[in-house]
Amino acid sequence: MERKSPANRSLERGLALLRAFRPGSTLLGNGELAERTGLPRATVSRLTQTLVAGGFLQHDQAARAYRLGAPVLSLAYAMRQGSEILRAALPLMRETAENQRINVGLACADGEEMIYLESVRRHRASMFRHITAGSRIPMELTSLGRAHLATLPKAEVERMLALFRARRRAHWPALQKEIRAAIAAVERNGYCRASWQPGVIALAAPLPGQPGYVMNISLATERLSEQEIKTGLVSLLRGLVQEVAARL
Amino acid sequence: MERKSPANRSLERGLALLRAFRPGSTLLGNGELAERTGLPRATVSRLTQTLVAGGFLQHDQAARAYRLGAPVLSLAYAMRQGSEILRAALPLMRETAENQRINVGLACADGEEMIYLESVRRHRASMFRHITAGSRIPMELTSLGRAHLATLPKAEVERMLALFRARRRAHWPALQKEIRAAIAAVERNGYCRASWQPGVIALAAPLPGQPGYVMNISLATERLSEQEIKTGLVSLLRGLVQEVAARL
DNA sequence: GCAGTAATTCCACTGGATGGAATTACTGCG
DNA sequence: CGCAGTAATTCCATCCAGTGGAATTACTGC
């Protein structure tokens, strides 16, 4: 028997509509929204009207569709201001990225994905795949995601794995092995490694005492030997999370 | 008789709760939320639970209060990706800020405030008052806000003025004069001027053909003479909005 | 202008939302 | 350590707001 917290259906649905907007689907009509959320059209129509009235959506007359409105930007700004963790970590992240000439990231979990709170990169014009604050990356493929998984209770991990399995039928056996190995690595050594973006290797570690938060460092593979990883980067990451945790 | 669009009360209220989070009040408990929104406590309690379940709020156990969650960051990212205007304007804003050594802003209205979509400044470490994407600034005091007012229908302007009047009883006569003069200036010359932050002067102009969007340029007063304003900056701003509008 | 599609409004129904009151969970102080 | 004081949550009877299928209306592209 699932313990159902008294949830407000209309609000849930309204939030689901907002969540349907993603990079790549930034312009959605009522029909598309209804399809993506599985809600009846009439309901979507009414909810979008409310969202528009509140400024959270803008109606694009020409495209017969909606976009996210400026208030969400404002919320994000308030959110960043309010995040103690980000405030504590950011200066250190900047410093580390600069000194070590690597990328440093801070992320937290949202459902089956990870969301970057911040990603400080050495080269501001970035690598081809565009990653910044607010970017979503898959949990099952990334060092950040796997490091996060390692902090969850066993039962929760299995639940997540079941979800991933459904999404990645194709390479599941190999992928599952990787994920479980990463979790074991985090439990043993405090960090895990992955290479989601080709040519980029990343190490990630959970922030001690801050459930849900994970940090990573990443750099181009060409720039390092196996040796260097074992020595410099691991202790760099360890030092980073320790220091950030200490500042909280 | 007010034409009431069929609004969803629960959703409206949920959004109101989110909007209660601002820079400066980033950590709000149920009680404070109830007070700020005027909603009954029981209702707030249930709605916050839903917002937490959706990830939009995080419960801070220690503070007995809520913060905004990472998904709002993600929404903001999607919003920026989806804004054609921002995409069209940003390169030009960067270029102008760099070449002319000034700050260039793009904003739009939200209720009685303006929200910066982007503010590109010459010195990245900024002036004392921290302004970035998502920052809210008062409509009645700023060049951006007044330029926006000038684009509204007369009746709407009067409605807004009534609101400002209630908020600024003290200096209202002078302030009203300033605002009306600014509106007239925009209608006559296409731009208006204001100095909200002491020591900083700003010129703002609406984006032609894009109702609700306004751009500004600003710089330290010490750096210019009256002469320079009339000549260089005005035509710079005019050229800027023209070019951005042309790219849409 | 007309067909075809998408969005909105209508409306009877009903169950989800509501909020005052009671209960429970905390916290800080003596 | 326990108790007072406060804040949050749960309860519950009431009822109205939300719902969604169907009808209507608004668009758009041909």
Side-chain angles (χ1 to χ4, degrees):
Chain A
M1 195 70 172
E2 187 64 47
R3 174 111 180 83
K4 65 152 195 285
S5 66
N8 184 305
R9 187 160 59 142
S10 311
L11 180 51
E12 263 180 351
R13 290 174 162 189
L15 298 178
L17 289 179
L18 291 178
R19 264 203 237 88
F21 290 85
R22 296 287 176 105
S25 20
T26 58
L27 193 61
L28 300 172
N30 277 336
E32 221 161 346
L33 284 167
E35 189 170 350
R36 282 172 198 245
T37 56
L39 298 175
R41 303 197 149 193
T43 303
V44 171
S45 186
R46 262 176 287 120
L47 291 177
T48 50
Q49 281 180 56
T50 304
L51 289 167
V52 168
F56 283 75
L57 291 183
Q58 282 187 327
H59 191 207
D60 185 320
Q61 171 76 3
R64 294 174 85 44
Y66 302 94
R67 317 170 178 284
L68 290 169
V72 307
L73 246 192
S74 177
L75 281 186
Y77 180 60
M79 185 265 164
R80 297 180 113 257
Q81 297 290 313
S83 173
E84 315 240 340
I85 293 180
L86 183 56
R87 261 219 312 282
L90 197 46
L92 211 56
M93 290 170 69
R94 291 226 170 93
E95 191 188 320
T96 307
E98 186 71 21
N99 292 346
Q100 309 293 325
R101 304 179 150 256
I102 58 179
N103 306 319
V104 183
L106 170 65
C108 70
D110 178 51
E112 320 173 22
E113 300 177 301
M114 302 299 291
I115 298 177
Y116 267 104
L117 287 186
E118 191 57 83
S119 172
V120 182
R121 54 191 68 258
R122 174 69 183 129
H123 310 286
R124 48 190 3 233
S126 79
M127 344 213 97
F128 37 100
R129 202 186 281 263
H130 190 60
I131 302 281
T132 359
S135 296
R136 290 173 176 273
I137 58 171
M139 189 181 291
E140 69 272 32
L141 302 178
T142 58
S143 64
L144 281 169
R146 292 170 184 177
H148 171 67
L149 283 171
T151 66
L152 297 178
K154 294 270 178 277
E156 190 71 7
V157 173
E158 296 307 321
R159 213 177 52 74
M160 299 300 297
L161 287 176
L163 291 173
F164 301 145
R165 180 155 167 269
R167 269 210 302 222
R168 310 280 181 183
R169 288 238 171 268
H171 329 87
W172 181 240
L175 182 55
Q176 185 182 32
K177 233 176 166 177
E178 271 185 47
I179 298 174
R180 291 198 189 274
I183 293 173
V186 174
E187 282 163 355
R188 192 165 1 92
N189 308 318
Y191 79 100
C192 72
R193 191 165 17 136
S195 178
W196 171 49
Q197 303 183 67
V200 179
I201 196 155
L203 310 190
L207 259 184
Q210 301 295 329
Y213 289 87
V214 202
M215 295 190 72
N216 78 347
I217 59 180
S218 64
L219 69 172
T221 42
E222 67 206 22
R223 283 187 37 211
L224 46 68
S225 67
E226 268 302 309
Q227 196 56 19
E228 289 173 315
I229 300 178
K230 296 266 167 224
T231 56
L233 294 177
V234 170
S235 58
L236 181 66
L237 178 60
R238 283 200 182 118
L240 193 59
V241 295
Q242 288 302 332
E243 176 60 18
V244 170
R247 293 188 183 185
L248 287 168
Chain B
M1 196 68 175
E2 187 64 50
R3 173 115 179 82
K4 66 150 192 285
S5 67
N8 184 306
R9 187 159 61 140
S10 314
L11 180 51
E12 263 180 352
R13 290 172 162 191
L15 298 178
L17 289 179
L18 291 178
R19 263 201 238 88
F21 289 85
R22 296 287 176 106
S25 22
T26 58
L27 193 61
L28 300 172
N30 277 335
E32 222 162 344
L33 284 168
E35 190 169 350
R36 281 171 198 247
T37 56
L39 299 175
R41 307 213 146 177
T43 302
V44 171
S45 187
R46 262 175 288 119
L47 292 176
T48 49
Q49 281 181 57
T50 303
L51 289 167
V52 168
F56 283 74
L57 291 184
Q58 282 188 327
H59 192 203
D60 184 320
Q61 172 75 4
R64 296 174 84 45
Y66 302 93
R67 313 169 181 286
L68 290 169
V72 307
L73 246 192
S74 178
L75 281 186
Y77 181 60
M79 185 266 165
R80 296 181 111 257
Q81 297 289 313
S83 173
E84 314 239 341
I85 293 179
L86 183 57
R87 261 218 314 281
L90 197 47
L92 211 56
M93 290 170 69
R94 290 224 170 93
E95 192 187 319
T96 306
E98 186 71 20
N99 292 346
Q100 310 293 326
R101 305 179 150 254
I102 57 178
N103 305 320
V104 182
L106 170 65
C108 68
D110 178 50
E112 321 172 23
E113 299 177 303
M114 303 298 292
I115 299 177
Y116 267 105
L117 287 186
E118 191 57 85
S119 171
V120 182
R121 54 191 69 260
R122 173 71 184 127
H123 310 285
R124 50 189 3 232
S126 78
M127 344 213 98
F128 37 101
R129 202 186 281 261
H130 190 59
I131 302 282
T132 0
S135 297
R136 290 173 177 273
I137 58 171
M139 189 182 291
E140 69 272 32
L141 301 179
T142 58
S143 63
L144 281 170
R146 293 169 183 177
H148 171 66
L149 283 171
T151 66
L152 297 179
K154 293 270 177 276
E156 190 70 9
V157 173
E158 295 308 319
R159 213 177 52 74
M160 300 299 297
L161 286 176
L163 291 173
F164 301 146
R165 180 154 167 270
R167 269 209 304 222
R168 310 280 181 185
R169 288 239 171 270
H171 328 87
W172 181 240
L175 183 55
Q176 185 181 31
K177 234 177 165 176
E178 270 185 48
I179 297 175
R180 292 197 187 274
I183 292 174
V186 173
E187 283 164 354
R188 193 165 359 94
N189 307 318
Y191 78 99
C192 72
R193 186 154 34 124
S195 178
W196 171 51
Q197 303 184 66
V200 179
I201 196 156
L203 312 190
L207 260 183
Q210 301 296 329
Y213 289 87
V214 201
M215 295 190 72
N216 77 348
I217 61 180
S218 65
L219 70 172
T221 43
E222 67 206 20
R223 283 187 37 213
L224 46 71
S225 66
E226 268 302 309
Q227 196 56 18
E228 289 173 316
I229 299 178
K230 297 263 169 221
T231 57
L233 294 177
V234 170
S235 59
L236 181 66
L237 178 61
R238 283 202 182 116
L240 192 59
V241 295
Q242 288 302 333
E243 176 61 18
V244 170
R247 292 190 184 183
L248 287 167

